[in-house]
Amino acid sequence: MKKLNLHSKKAIADIICLLYTILFVYAAVSKLLNFENFEVQLGQSPLLSIYASWISWLVISIELLIAAALLVPKLQSIGLYAALGLMTMFSAYIFIILNFSSFIPCSCGGILEKMSWNMHLIFNCIFIVLALFAIVLEKQTNINATASITGTRTVKLTIGIIVGSILIVFALFLSSENIIHHNNPFIRTYPNHPAEFSNTIDLKHHSYYIAGFANNRIYLGNYQYPMYVLSLDQNLKNKKLDKLHFDAKKIPFQSITISVREPYFYLSDGNVPVLLRGDMKNWTITRELNSVPYFTRIVPIDSSMAVFRSNNSKKLANVLGIYNADAEQKTTYSRELLQSRNDGIFDTDGTLLYSEAAKKIVCLYYYRNEFMTAEKNGKLITRGHTIDTISHPNLKVSLLRDGKQYAMSTPSFVVNANAAVVGNLLFVHSRVKGRYENKKLWDKSFIIDVYDLKNNTYLLSFPLFHTSSKVLNSFAATDTHLYAIIGNDLMVYELKKIIKNEMKFNN
Protein backbone atom coordinates (compact mmCIF):
# COMPACT_ATOMS: atom_id res chain seq x y z
CA MET A 1 0.00 0.00 0.00
CA LYS A 2 2.84 2.34 0.89
CA LYS A 3 4.50 1.63 -2.48
CA LEU A 4 1.19 2.29 -4.24
CA ASN A 5 0.82 5.58 -2.42
CA LEU A 6 4.28 6.65 -3.56
CA HIS A 7 3.41 5.73 -7.11
CA SER A 8 0.14 7.65 -6.87
CA LYS A 9 1.92 10.72 -5.52
CA LYS A 10 4.51 10.48 -8.26
CA ALA A 11 1.79 10.13 -10.89
CA ILE A 12 -0.09 13.18 -9.59
CA ALA A 13 3.11 15.26 -9.53
CA ASP A 14 3.90 14.14 -13.09
CA ILE A 15 0.40 15.09 -14.26
CA ILE A 16 0.78 18.58 -12.74
CA CYS A 17 4.18 18.93 -14.41
CA LEU A 18 2.63 17.87 -17.72
CA LEU A 19 -0.18 20.44 -17.33
CA TYR A 20 2.38 23.17 -16.72
CA THR A 21 4.42 22.00 -19.68
CA ILE A 22 1.40 22.10 -22.00
CA LEU A 23 0.39 25.52 -20.67
CA PHE A 24 3.83 27.10 -21.04
CA VAL A 25 4.59 25.56 -24.45
CA TYR A 26 1.21 26.63 -25.80
CA ALA A 27 1.59 30.14 -24.36
CA ALA A 28 5.14 30.54 -25.69
CA VAL A 29 4.32 29.24 -29.17
CA SER A 30 1.21 31.47 -29.35
CA LYS A 31 3.33 34.50 -28.49
CA LEU A 32 6.00 33.55 -31.06
CA LEU A 33 3.47 33.03 -33.85
CA ASN A 34 2.03 36.47 -33.20
CA PHE A 35 5.07 38.10 -31.66
CA GLU A 36 4.50 41.61 -33.03
CA ASN A 37 1.02 41.71 -31.52
CA PHE A 38 2.34 40.34 -28.21
CA GLU A 39 5.05 43.02 -28.08
CA VAL A 40 2.50 45.72 -28.93
CA GLN A 41 0.21 44.50 -26.12
CA LEU A 42 3.09 44.59 -23.64
CA GLY A 43 3.99 48.03 -24.98
CA GLN A 44 0.47 49.22 -24.11
CA SER A 45 0.60 47.71 -20.63
CA PRO A 46 0.43 50.30 -17.82
CA LEU A 47 2.99 48.20 -15.90
CA LEU A 48 5.51 46.86 -18.39
CA SER A 49 5.46 49.18 -21.43
CA ILE A 50 8.94 50.56 -20.70
CA TYR A 51 10.44 47.07 -20.60
CA ALA A 52 8.40 45.51 -23.41
CA SER A 53 11.35 45.03 -25.80
CA TRP A 54 13.24 42.63 -23.52
CA ILE A 55 10.42 41.27 -21.34
CA SER A 56 8.62 39.95 -24.43
CA TRP A 57 11.60 37.71 -25.30
CA LEU A 58 12.40 36.94 -21.66
CA VAL A 59 8.90 35.63 -20.88
CA ILE A 60 8.87 33.36 -23.93
CA SER A 61 12.37 32.05 -23.14
CA ILE A 62 11.54 31.37 -19.48
CA GLU A 63 8.29 29.60 -20.37
CA LEU A 64 10.11 27.26 -22.78
CA LEU A 65 12.99 26.63 -20.33
CA ILE A 66 10.59 25.77 -17.50
CA ALA A 67 8.61 23.47 -19.80
CA ALA A 68 11.83 21.67 -20.76
CA ALA A 69 12.95 21.36 -17.11
CA LEU A 70 9.60 19.83 -16.11
CA LEU A 71 10.10 17.06 -18.67
CA VAL A 72 13.49 16.05 -17.21
CA PRO A 73 13.12 14.03 -13.96
CA LYS A 74 16.35 15.37 -12.43
CA LEU A 75 15.29 18.97 -13.13
CA GLN A 76 11.64 18.56 -12.20
CA SER A 77 12.06 20.07 -8.73
CA ILE A 78 13.82 23.15 -10.13
CA GLY A 79 11.14 23.41 -12.82
CA LEU A 80 8.33 23.38 -10.27
CA TYR A 81 9.91 26.14 -8.19
CA ALA A 82 10.47 28.18 -11.36
CA ALA A 83 6.88 27.57 -12.48
CA LEU A 84 5.65 28.69 -9.06
CA GLY A 85 7.69 31.88 -9.30
CA LEU A 86 6.58 32.72 -12.85
CA MET A 87 2.92 32.03 -12.16
CA THR A 88 3.14 34.16 -9.01
CA MET A 89 4.57 37.01 -11.10
CA PHE A 90 1.73 36.67 -13.60
CA SER A 91 -0.79 36.75 -10.73
CA ALA A 92 0.85 39.77 -9.07
CA TYR A 93 0.80 41.53 -12.45
CA ILE A 94 -2.95 40.94 -12.84
CA PHE A 95 -3.63 41.97 -9.23
CA ILE A 96 -1.83 45.30 -9.76
CA ILE A 97 -3.64 45.81 -13.08
CA LEU A 98 -7.00 45.33 -11.37
CA ASN A 99 -6.32 47.35 -8.24
CA PHE A 100 -3.57 49.94 -8.83
CA SER A 101 -3.35 50.58 -12.56
CA SER A 102 -4.81 53.73 -14.11
CA PHE A 103 -6.51 51.54 -16.72
CA ILE A 104 -7.04 47.88 -17.62
CA PRO A 105 -5.49 46.87 -20.97
CA CYS A 106 -6.49 44.09 -23.31
CA SER A 107 -5.55 40.48 -22.58
CA CYS A 108 -2.17 39.19 -23.72
CA GLY A 109 -3.60 36.51 -26.01
CA GLY A 110 -3.11 32.78 -26.10
CA ILE A 111 -5.46 30.38 -24.32
CA LEU A 112 -6.45 33.08 -21.83
CA GLU A 113 -7.42 35.64 -24.47
CA LYS A 114 -11.16 35.05 -23.99
CA MET A 115 -10.99 35.26 -20.19
CA SER A 116 -11.72 38.35 -18.16
CA TRP A 117 -8.91 39.63 -15.95
CA ASN A 118 -10.65 38.30 -12.84
CA MET A 119 -11.06 34.85 -14.39
CA HIS A 120 -7.43 35.04 -15.49
CA LEU A 121 -6.38 35.68 -11.88
CA ILE A 122 -8.43 32.73 -10.61
CA PHE A 123 -6.91 30.50 -13.29
CA ASN A 124 -3.41 31.52 -12.22
CA CYS A 125 -4.14 30.99 -8.54
CA ILE A 126 -5.35 27.45 -9.29
CA PHE A 127 -2.03 26.71 -11.00
CA ILE A 128 -0.12 28.21 -8.07
CA VAL A 129 -1.92 25.80 -5.74
CA LEU A 130 -1.13 22.94 -8.14
CA ALA A 131 2.55 23.91 -8.15
CA LEU A 132 2.65 23.97 -4.34
CA PHE A 133 0.92 20.58 -4.21
CA ALA A 134 3.35 19.13 -6.75
CA ILE A 135 6.36 20.47 -4.79
CA VAL A 136 5.12 18.67 -1.65
CA LEU A 137 4.47 15.43 -3.55
CA GLU A 138 7.78 15.62 -5.38
CA LYS A 139 9.64 16.03 -2.07
CA GLN A 140 7.82 13.07 -0.52
CA THR A 141 8.55 10.77 -3.48
CA ASN A 142 12.21 11.79 -3.69
CA ILE A 143 13.10 11.77 0.00
CA ASN A 144 16.46 10.04 -0.51
CA ALA A 145 17.58 12.46 -3.20
CA THR A 146 16.56 15.49 -1.15
CA ALA A 147 17.45 14.34 2.35
CA SER A 148 19.54 17.47 2.96
CA ILE A 149 16.56 19.68 2.37
CA THR A 150 14.34 19.65 5.41
CA GLY A 151 10.66 20.45 5.40
CA THR A 152 11.41 23.78 7.06
CA ARG A 153 13.87 24.76 4.35
CA THR A 154 11.34 23.80 1.68
CA VAL A 155 8.72 26.03 3.27
CA LYS A 156 11.19 28.93 3.56
CA LEU A 157 12.28 28.48 -0.05
CA THR A 158 8.68 28.40 -1.26
CA ILE A 159 7.72 31.51 0.70
CA GLY A 160 10.88 33.27 -0.48
CA ILE A 161 10.05 32.54 -4.12
CA ILE A 162 6.48 33.79 -3.75
CA VAL A 163 7.43 36.97 -1.89
CA GLY A 164 10.39 37.65 -4.18
CA SER A 165 8.26 37.23 -7.31
CA ILE A 166 5.66 39.67 -6.00
CA LEU A 167 8.33 42.24 -5.06
CA ILE A 168 9.92 42.02 -8.52
CA VAL A 169 6.60 42.81 -10.22
CA PHE A 170 5.88 45.70 -7.83
CA ALA A 171 9.37 47.11 -8.46
CA LEU A 172 8.82 46.94 -12.22
CA PHE A 173 5.45 48.66 -11.80
CA LEU A 174 6.80 51.54 -9.70
CA SER A 175 9.81 52.17 -11.96
CA SER A 176 7.70 51.93 -15.12
CA GLU A 177 5.13 54.41 -13.76
CA ASN A 178 7.87 56.93 -12.99
CA ILE A 179 9.57 56.59 -16.37
CA ILE A 180 6.40 56.61 -18.49
CA HIS A 181 5.19 59.91 -16.98
CA HIS A 182 8.48 61.76 -16.52
CA ASN A 183 11.17 60.32 -18.82
CA ASN A 184 9.08 58.66 -21.50
CA PRO A 185 11.12 56.86 -24.22
CA PHE A 186 8.25 57.46 -26.68
CA ILE A 187 5.84 54.77 -25.56
CA ARG A 188 2.17 55.72 -25.56
CA THR A 189 -0.44 54.24 -23.25
CA TYR A 190 -3.93 53.70 -24.64
CA PRO A 191 -6.55 53.22 -21.89
CA ASN A 192 -9.87 51.70 -22.87
CA HIS A 193 -12.14 54.45 -24.25
CA PRO A 194 -11.01 57.58 -22.34
CA ALA A 195 -12.96 59.60 -24.91
CA GLU A 196 -16.12 57.98 -26.30
CA PHE A 197 -17.77 58.99 -29.57
CA SER A 198 -21.10 60.72 -28.95
CA ASN A 199 -22.43 62.36 -32.11
CA THR A 200 -21.55 63.92 -35.46
CA ILE A 201 -23.12 66.30 -37.98
CA ASP A 202 -22.25 67.27 -41.53
CA LEU A 203 -21.40 70.98 -41.69
CA LYS A 204 -21.61 70.90 -45.52
CA HIS A 205 -18.57 73.20 -45.78
CA HIS A 206 -14.88 72.72 -44.94
CA SER A 207 -14.39 76.41 -44.02
CA TYR A 208 -15.64 76.16 -40.42
CA TYR A 209 -13.37 76.45 -37.39
CA ILE A 210 -14.02 76.27 -33.64
CA ALA A 211 -14.34 79.79 -32.22
CA GLY A 212 -14.98 78.85 -28.58
CA PHE A 213 -17.48 77.72 -25.96
CA ALA A 214 -20.05 79.52 -23.82
CA ASN A 215 -23.27 78.61 -22.00
CA ASN A 216 -22.78 74.89 -22.77
CA ARG A 217 -22.68 75.63 -26.48
CA ILE A 218 -19.96 75.34 -29.09
CA TYR A 219 -19.46 78.29 -31.46
CA LEU A 220 -18.09 77.96 -34.99
CA GLY A 221 -16.65 80.65 -37.19
CA ASN A 222 -16.52 80.44 -40.97
CA TYR A 223 -13.61 81.72 -43.08
CA GLN A 224 -15.85 82.14 -46.14
CA TYR A 225 -18.65 83.89 -44.24
CA PRO A 226 -16.84 85.71 -41.42
CA MET A 227 -19.86 87.78 -40.34
CA TYR A 228 -21.79 84.73 -39.18
CA VAL A 229 -21.40 82.50 -36.11
CA LEU A 230 -22.95 79.04 -35.94
CA SER A 231 -23.65 77.58 -32.49
CA LEU A 232 -24.91 74.20 -31.26
CA ASP A 233 -25.47 72.61 -27.87
CA GLN A 234 -22.96 70.12 -26.46
CA ASN A 235 -24.77 67.23 -28.21
CA LEU A 236 -24.64 69.05 -31.58
CA LYS A 237 -28.33 69.88 -31.57
CA ASN A 238 -30.40 73.07 -31.26
CA LYS A 239 -28.53 74.77 -34.08
CA LYS A 240 -28.49 78.59 -34.20
CA LEU A 241 -26.97 81.09 -36.64
CA ASP A 242 -26.09 84.62 -35.47
CA LYS A 243 -24.91 87.58 -37.52
CA LEU A 244 -22.35 90.10 -36.26
CA HIS A 245 -23.53 93.71 -36.26
CA PHE A 246 -20.99 96.38 -37.24
CA ASP A 247 -19.88 98.31 -40.30
CA ALA A 248 -17.06 96.23 -41.81
CA LYS A 249 -16.56 98.68 -44.70
CA LYS A 250 -14.68 101.12 -42.47
CA ILE A 251 -11.86 98.62 -41.88
CA PRO A 252 -9.80 97.06 -44.71
CA PHE A 253 -10.13 93.48 -43.45
CA GLN A 254 -8.12 90.73 -45.15
CA SER A 255 -8.53 87.69 -42.91
CA ILE A 256 -11.11 87.83 -40.12
CA THR A 257 -11.05 85.43 -37.19
CA ILE A 258 -13.67 85.21 -34.44
CA SER A 259 -12.97 84.09 -30.87
CA VAL A 260 -15.62 83.45 -28.22
CA ARG A 261 -14.80 83.90 -24.55
CA GLU A 262 -17.90 84.41 -22.43
CA PRO A 263 -19.46 87.00 -22.12
CA TYR A 264 -17.62 88.51 -25.08
CA PHE A 265 -16.70 87.67 -28.62
CA TYR A 266 -13.62 89.05 -30.36
CA LEU A 267 -13.02 89.83 -34.00
CA SER A 268 -9.41 90.10 -35.14
CA ASP A 269 -7.27 90.57 -38.22
CA GLY A 270 -3.52 90.82 -37.81
CA ASN A 271 -2.98 92.22 -41.30
CA VAL A 272 -4.83 95.48 -40.54
CA PRO A 273 -4.20 95.16 -37.52
CA VAL A 274 -7.41 95.25 -35.50
CA LEU A 275 -8.96 93.66 -32.40
CA LEU A 276 -12.64 94.31 -31.70
CA ARG A 277 -14.71 93.20 -28.72
CA GLY A 278 -18.45 92.59 -28.75
CA ASP A 279 -21.36 91.51 -26.57
CA MET A 280 -22.61 87.95 -27.16
CA LYS A 281 -26.15 88.92 -26.10
CA ASN A 282 -26.79 90.82 -29.33
CA TRP A 283 -23.56 90.07 -31.29
CA THR A 284 -22.76 93.76 -31.60
CA ILE A 285 -19.26 95.26 -31.50
CA THR A 286 -19.01 97.47 -28.42
CA ARG A 287 -15.31 98.38 -28.25
CA GLU A 288 -12.29 98.68 -30.50
CA LEU A 289 -9.15 97.75 -28.57
CA ASN A 290 -6.83 100.43 -29.92
CA SER A 291 -3.11 100.39 -30.76
CA VAL A 292 -2.90 96.65 -31.39
CA PRO A 293 0.40 95.79 -33.13
CA TYR A 294 0.61 93.65 -36.25
CA PHE A 295 0.27 90.00 -35.35
CA THR A 296 0.17 86.54 -36.93
CA ARG A 297 -1.78 84.98 -34.05
CA ILE A 298 -3.76 86.45 -31.18
CA VAL A 299 -5.66 84.86 -28.30
CA PRO A 300 -7.85 86.89 -25.92
CA ILE A 301 -7.00 86.52 -22.23
CA ASP A 302 -9.75 88.64 -20.69
CA SER A 303 -11.89 91.67 -21.53
CA SER A 304 -8.92 93.94 -22.25
CA MET A 305 -5.87 91.63 -22.59
CA ALA A 306 -4.58 89.29 -25.26
CA VAL A 307 -1.45 87.30 -25.99
CA PHE A 308 -0.18 87.60 -29.54
CA ARG A 309 2.60 86.41 -31.78
CA SER A 310 4.32 88.79 -34.14
CA ASN A 311 7.34 88.68 -36.43
CA ASN A 312 8.32 92.30 -36.15
CA SER A 313 11.62 91.53 -34.47
CA LYS A 314 15.10 91.06 -35.97
CA LYS A 315 15.12 89.04 -39.22
CA LEU A 316 11.34 88.64 -38.94
CA ALA A 317 11.74 86.07 -36.16
CA ASN A 318 8.61 85.24 -34.17
CA VAL A 319 8.12 86.85 -30.78
CA LEU A 320 5.34 86.66 -28.21
CA GLY A 321 3.82 89.73 -26.64
CA ILE A 322 1.09 90.81 -24.24
CA TYR A 323 -1.44 93.45 -25.24
CA ASN A 324 -3.37 95.33 -22.54
CA ALA A 325 -5.85 97.92 -23.77
CA ASP A 326 -6.22 99.47 -20.31
CA ALA A 327 -2.49 99.91 -19.64
CA GLU A 328 -0.48 103.02 -20.39
CA GLN A 329 2.07 100.91 -22.26
CA LYS A 330 -0.33 98.73 -24.19
CA THR A 331 2.21 96.28 -25.65
CA THR A 332 5.05 94.43 -23.92
CA TYR A 333 7.18 91.74 -25.57
CA SER A 334 8.51 88.58 -23.92
CA ARG A 335 11.38 87.84 -26.29
CA GLU A 336 12.80 85.00 -24.22
CA LEU A 337 9.70 82.80 -24.48
CA LEU A 338 10.19 81.52 -28.03
CA GLN A 339 13.55 79.78 -28.39
CA SER A 340 14.90 79.37 -31.91
CA ARG A 341 16.71 76.22 -33.04
CA ASN A 342 16.99 77.22 -36.68
CA ASP A 343 15.67 80.31 -38.44
CA GLY A 344 13.49 81.86 -35.74
CA ILE A 345 10.49 82.02 -38.05
CA PHE A 346 9.34 78.55 -39.04
CA ASP A 347 11.07 76.65 -36.25
CA THR A 348 9.14 78.70 -33.65
CA ASP A 349 5.84 78.39 -35.49
CA GLY A 350 3.12 76.59 -33.60
CA THR A 351 -0.17 76.68 -31.72
CA LEU A 352 -0.91 79.52 -29.30
CA LEU A 353 -3.47 78.85 -26.54
CA TYR A 354 -4.71 80.24 -23.26
CA SER A 355 -6.19 78.25 -20.36
CA GLU A 356 -8.65 80.51 -18.61
CA ALA A 357 -9.08 78.07 -15.72
CA ALA A 358 -5.35 77.62 -15.12
CA LYS A 359 -4.47 81.25 -16.05
CA LYS A 360 -1.70 80.02 -18.34
CA ILE A 361 -0.49 80.88 -21.83
CA VAL A 362 0.52 77.76 -23.75
CA CYS A 363 2.65 77.65 -26.88
CA LEU A 364 3.27 74.34 -28.68
CA TYR A 365 5.77 74.09 -31.54
CA TYR A 366 4.80 72.44 -34.82
CA TYR A 367 8.17 71.03 -35.82
CA ARG A 368 9.74 69.86 -32.57
CA ASN A 369 8.78 68.15 -29.31
CA GLU A 370 8.53 71.20 -27.10
CA PHE A 371 5.95 73.45 -25.49
CA MET A 372 6.11 76.20 -22.92
CA THR A 373 3.71 77.79 -20.45
CA ALA A 374 3.71 81.37 -19.19
CA GLU A 375 1.75 83.59 -16.84
CA LYS A 376 -0.76 86.02 -18.31
CA ASN A 377 1.82 88.81 -17.99
CA GLY A 378 4.24 86.88 -20.22
CA LYS A 379 6.53 85.53 -17.50
CA LEU A 380 7.80 82.02 -18.23
CA ILE A 381 6.45 79.24 -15.97
CA THR A 382 7.97 76.12 -17.46
CA ARG A 383 9.18 74.37 -20.61
CA GLY A 384 8.06 70.85 -21.38
CA HIS A 385 8.44 68.21 -24.07
CA THR A 386 6.04 66.00 -25.93
CA ILE A 387 7.00 62.32 -25.79
CA ASP A 388 8.28 62.04 -29.37
CA THR A 389 12.03 62.27 -29.94
CA ILE A 390 12.16 65.06 -32.55
CA SER A 391 13.95 67.84 -30.68
CA HIS A 392 15.51 69.63 -33.69
CA PRO A 393 13.34 70.64 -36.67
CA ASN A 394 14.67 69.64 -40.08
CA LEU A 395 14.08 72.92 -41.89
CA LYS A 396 15.67 74.56 -44.88
CA VAL A 397 14.74 78.22 -45.21
CA SER A 398 15.46 80.48 -48.19
CA LEU A 399 15.38 84.26 -48.53
CA LEU A 400 13.21 85.40 -51.44
CA ARG A 401 14.41 87.85 -54.09
CA ASP A 402 13.00 90.95 -52.46
CA GLY A 403 15.09 90.17 -49.38
CA LYS A 404 12.12 90.78 -47.10
CA GLN A 405 10.42 87.40 -47.12
CA TYR A 406 11.49 83.95 -46.01
CA ALA A 407 10.09 80.63 -47.23
CA MET A 408 10.69 76.94 -46.52
CA SER A 409 12.54 75.61 -49.56
CA THR A 410 11.97 72.00 -48.47
CA PRO A 411 8.88 70.72 -46.64
CA SER A 412 9.33 69.81 -42.99
CA PHE A 413 7.68 67.04 -41.03
CA VAL A 414 4.99 68.33 -38.67
CA VAL A 415 5.36 66.82 -35.21
CA ASN A 416 2.49 68.45 -33.31
CA ALA A 417 -0.21 69.43 -35.77
CA ASN A 418 -2.66 71.09 -33.40
CA ALA A 419 -3.60 71.37 -29.75
CA ALA A 420 -6.29 72.28 -27.26
CA VAL A 421 -6.15 73.18 -23.58
CA VAL A 422 -8.68 72.85 -20.78
CA GLY A 423 -7.73 73.47 -17.17
CA ASN A 424 -4.29 71.94 -16.65
CA LEU A 425 -4.62 69.43 -19.50
CA LEU A 426 -3.00 69.87 -22.90
CA PHE A 427 -4.40 67.79 -25.77
CA VAL A 428 -1.97 67.39 -28.67
CA HIS A 429 -2.62 65.98 -32.12
CA SER A 430 0.64 64.16 -32.80
CA ARG A 431 1.76 62.93 -36.21
CA VAL A 432 4.65 60.81 -34.96
CA LYS A 433 4.16 57.07 -34.47
CA GLY A 434 5.58 55.74 -31.19
CA ARG A 435 7.10 52.42 -30.22
CA TYR A 436 4.93 49.28 -30.11
CA GLU A 437 2.06 50.99 -31.92
CA ASN A 438 -0.31 49.35 -34.34
CA LYS A 439 0.03 50.70 -37.89
CA LYS A 440 -3.64 49.94 -38.59
CA LEU A 441 -4.67 52.31 -35.79
CA TRP A 442 -2.61 55.11 -37.34
CA ASP A 443 -4.06 54.42 -40.79
CA LYS A 444 -7.62 55.01 -39.60
CA SER A 445 -7.35 57.61 -36.84
CA PHE A 446 -5.70 60.76 -35.46
CA ILE A 447 -3.75 60.23 -32.25
CA ILE A 448 -4.34 62.67 -29.38
CA ASP A 449 -1.78 62.78 -26.55
CA VAL A 450 -2.76 64.26 -23.19
CA TYR A 451 -0.32 66.09 -20.88
CA ASP A 452 -0.62 67.51 -17.38
CA LEU A 453 0.73 71.07 -17.52
CA LYS A 454 0.79 71.41 -13.74
CA ASN A 455 3.09 68.42 -13.23
CA ASN A 456 4.68 68.62 -16.69
CA THR A 457 3.93 64.93 -17.34
CA TYR A 458 2.49 62.75 -20.10
CA LEU A 459 -0.78 61.04 -19.11
CA LEU A 460 -2.29 58.98 -21.91
CA SER A 461 -3.34 58.83 -25.56
CA PHE A 462 -6.49 58.04 -27.51
CA PRO A 463 -7.62 57.96 -31.16
CA LEU A 464 -10.10 60.13 -33.04
CA PHE A 465 -11.26 58.02 -35.95
CA HIS A 466 -11.42 59.24 -39.55
CA THR A 467 -14.73 60.01 -41.18
CA SER A 468 -15.01 60.22 -44.96
CA SER A 469 -12.12 62.67 -44.61
CA LYS A 470 -8.61 62.09 -43.32
CA VAL A 471 -8.00 65.75 -42.45
CA LEU A 472 -8.35 67.02 -38.88
CA ASN A 473 -8.97 70.73 -39.39
CA SER A 474 -9.25 71.74 -35.74
CA PHE A 475 -10.32 70.48 -32.34
CA ALA A 476 -11.04 71.91 -28.90
CA ALA A 477 -12.06 70.62 -25.49
CA THR A 478 -14.26 71.51 -22.53
CA ASP A 479 -14.30 69.87 -19.11
CA THR A 480 -16.80 67.30 -20.41
CA HIS A 481 -16.34 66.92 -24.17
CA LEU A 482 -13.87 67.11 -27.02
CA TYR A 483 -14.98 68.52 -30.38
CA ALA A 484 -13.22 67.93 -33.69
CA ILE A 485 -13.81 69.19 -37.23
CA ILE A 486 -12.74 66.42 -39.61
CA GLY A 487 -13.29 67.47 -43.21
CA ASN A 488 -16.90 68.68 -43.28
CA ASP A 489 -17.89 66.73 -40.17
CA LEU A 490 -18.17 68.12 -36.65
CA MET A 491 -17.72 65.31 -34.13
CA VAL A 492 -18.16 65.26 -30.38
CA TYR A 493 -16.50 62.85 -27.96
CA GLU A 494 -17.49 62.54 -24.31
CA LEU A 495 -14.50 62.66 -21.96
CA LYS A 496 -14.56 59.81 -19.47
CA LYS A 497 -13.57 59.60 -15.82
CA ILE A 498 -9.91 58.69 -16.48
CA ILE A 499 -9.39 62.11 -18.13
CA LYS A 500 -11.79 64.17 -16.05
CA ASN A 501 -10.13 62.99 -12.83
CA GLU A 502 -6.88 64.59 -14.00
CA MET A 503 -8.44 68.01 -14.59
CA LYS A 504 -7.60 70.82 -12.22
CA PHE A 505 -9.09 74.26 -12.58
CA ASN A 506 -6.71 76.37 -10.56
CA ASN A 507 -3.04 77.25 -10.41
Side-chain angles (χ1 to χ4, degrees), residues 446-461:
F446 312 99
I447 302 302
I448 307 298
D449 299 328
V450 185
Y451 299 86
D452 185 339
L453 295 175
K454 186 172 184 178
N455 299 321
N456 209 11
T457 57
Y458 163 75
L459 296 177
L460 55 88
S461 301

Side-chain angles (χ1 to χ4, degrees), residues 222-250:
N222 192 314
Y223 292 116
Q224 291 184 348
Y225 305 96
M227 294 298 105
Y228 291 88
V229 178
L230 176 66
S231 67
L232 307 95
D233 65 21
Q234 62 183 12
N235 295 314
L236 306 186
K237 298 178 181 179
N238 189 18
K239 190 184 300 184
K240 185 179 180 182
L241 187 66
D242 291 292
K243 183 179 180 180
L244 307 187
H245 300 288
F246 78 104
D247 188 359
K249 296 180 180 179
K250 295 182 179 180

Side-chain angles (χ1 to χ4, degrees), residues 51 93 430:
Y51 312 110
Y93 171 78
S430 174

Side-chain angles (χ1 to χ4, degrees), residues 111-149:
I111 195 171
L112 305 176
E113 185 177 33
K114 304 302 181 182
M115 290 187 184
S116 68
W117 283 92
N118 285 307
M119 286 298 296
H120 196 154
L121 182 59
I122 294 172
F123 181 91
N124 285 4
C125 289
I126 291 173
F127 266 81
I128 288 175
V129 172
L130 289 176
L132 291 170
F133 188 40
I135 288 172
V136 173
L137 294 177
E138 195 275 338
K139 180 180 182 300
Q140 291 177 352
T141 56
N142 294 276
I143 190 65
N144 293 330
T146 59
S148 61
I149 303 179

Side-chain angles (χ1 to χ4, degrees), residues 45-331:
S45 166
L47 270 69
L48 303 176
S49 55
I50 297 300
Y51 312 110
S53 59
W54 59 269
I55 281 184
S56 54
W57 286 109
L58 183 64
V59 169
I60 294 172
S61 300
I62 291 176
E63 286 176 336
L64 292 175
L65 287 172
I66 293 175
L70 291 171
L71 292 176
V72 179
K74 291 183 178 180
L75 299 176
Q76 201 170 71
S77 179
I78 296 175
L80 284 170
Y81 281 116
L84 173 64
L86 186 60
M87 196 58 71
T88 301
M89 286 184 181
F90 289 161
S91 301
Y93 171 78
I94 297 172
F95 181 80
I96 294 173
I97 286 285
L98 292 174
N99 294 278
F100 299 102
S101 172
S102 57
F103 66 95
I104 299 176
C106 298
S107 176
C108 288
I111 195 171
L112 305 176
E113 185 177 33
K114 304 302 181 182
M115 290 187 184
S116 68
W117 283 92
N118 285 307
M119 286 298 296
H120 196 154
L121 182 59
I122 294 172
F123 181 91
N124 285 4
C125 289
I126 291 173
F127 266 81
I128 288 175
V129 172
L130 289 176
L132 291 170
F133 188 40
I135 288 172
V136 173
L137 294 177
E138 195 275 338
K139 180 180 182 300
Q140 291 177 352
T141 56
N142 294 276
I143 190 65
N144 293 330
T146 59
S148 61
I149 303 179
T150 65
T152 302
R153 289 186 62 187
T154 301
V155 172
K156 289 182 178 179
L157 179 59
T158 302
I159 294 175
I161 289 174
I162 293 175
V163 173
S165 300
I166 293 173
L167 291 177
I168 288 173
V169 176
F170 265 94
L172 288 174
F173 166 60
L174 294 175
S175 61
S176 180
E177 280 280 289
N178 180 64
I179 294 172
I180 200 73
H181 293 300
H182 295 91
N183 300 295
N184 193 299
F186 204 10
I187 300 175
R188 290 187 171 92
T189 58
Y190 290 92
N192 296 326
H193 309 297
E196 191 171 286
F197 172 77
S198 178
N199 198 9
T200 182
I201 63 168
D202 185 356
L203 296 172
K204 308 298 183 182
H205 299 282
H206 64 273
S207 53
Y208 282 101
Y209 61 92
I210 298 174
F213 303 93
N215 302 316
N216 294 320
R217 296 181 68 83
I218 178 174
Y219 290 83
L220 306 179
N222 192 314
Y223 292 116
Q224 291 184 348
Y225 305 96
M227 294 298 105
Y228 291 88
V229 178
L230 176 66
S231 67
L232 307 95
D233 65 21
Q234 62 183 12
N235 295 314
L236 306 186
K237 298 178 181 179
N238 189 18
K239 190 184 300 184
K240 185 179 180 182
L241 187 66
D242 291 292
K243 183 179 180 180
L244 307 187
H245 300 288
F246 78 104
D247 188 359
K249 296 180 180 179
K250 295 182 179 180
I251 303 175
F253 288 110
Q254 298 182 42
S255 179
I256 295 175
T257 301
I258 296 170
S259 300
V260 171
R261 190 176 294 279
E262 190 178 9
Y264 304 107
F265 72 93
Y266 300 84
L267 188 148
S268 61
D269 187 339
N271 298 301
V272 178
V274 66
L275 178 63
L276 306 176
R277 192 189 75 196
D279 189 339
M280 290 180 62
K281 291 181 180 179
N282 51 22
W283 295 98
T284 300
I285 297 296
T286 57
R287 182 182 180 185
E288 179 176 355
L289 304 176
N290 296 316
S291 302
V292 178
Y294 286 92
F295 56 86
T296 53
R297 295 186 187 279
I298 195 165
V299 177
I301 292 178
D302 56 29
S303 61
S304 60
M305 293 181 66
V307 55
F308 66 91
R309 191 189 72 193
S310 176
N311 54 7
N312 293 333
S313 61
K314 186 178 181 181
K315 294 184 179 180
L316 301 180
N318 288 319
V319 62
L320 291 184
I322 305 297
Y323 168 80
N324 188 342
D326 296 334
E328 184 176 346
Q329 182 180 338
K330 298 184 183 302
T331 301

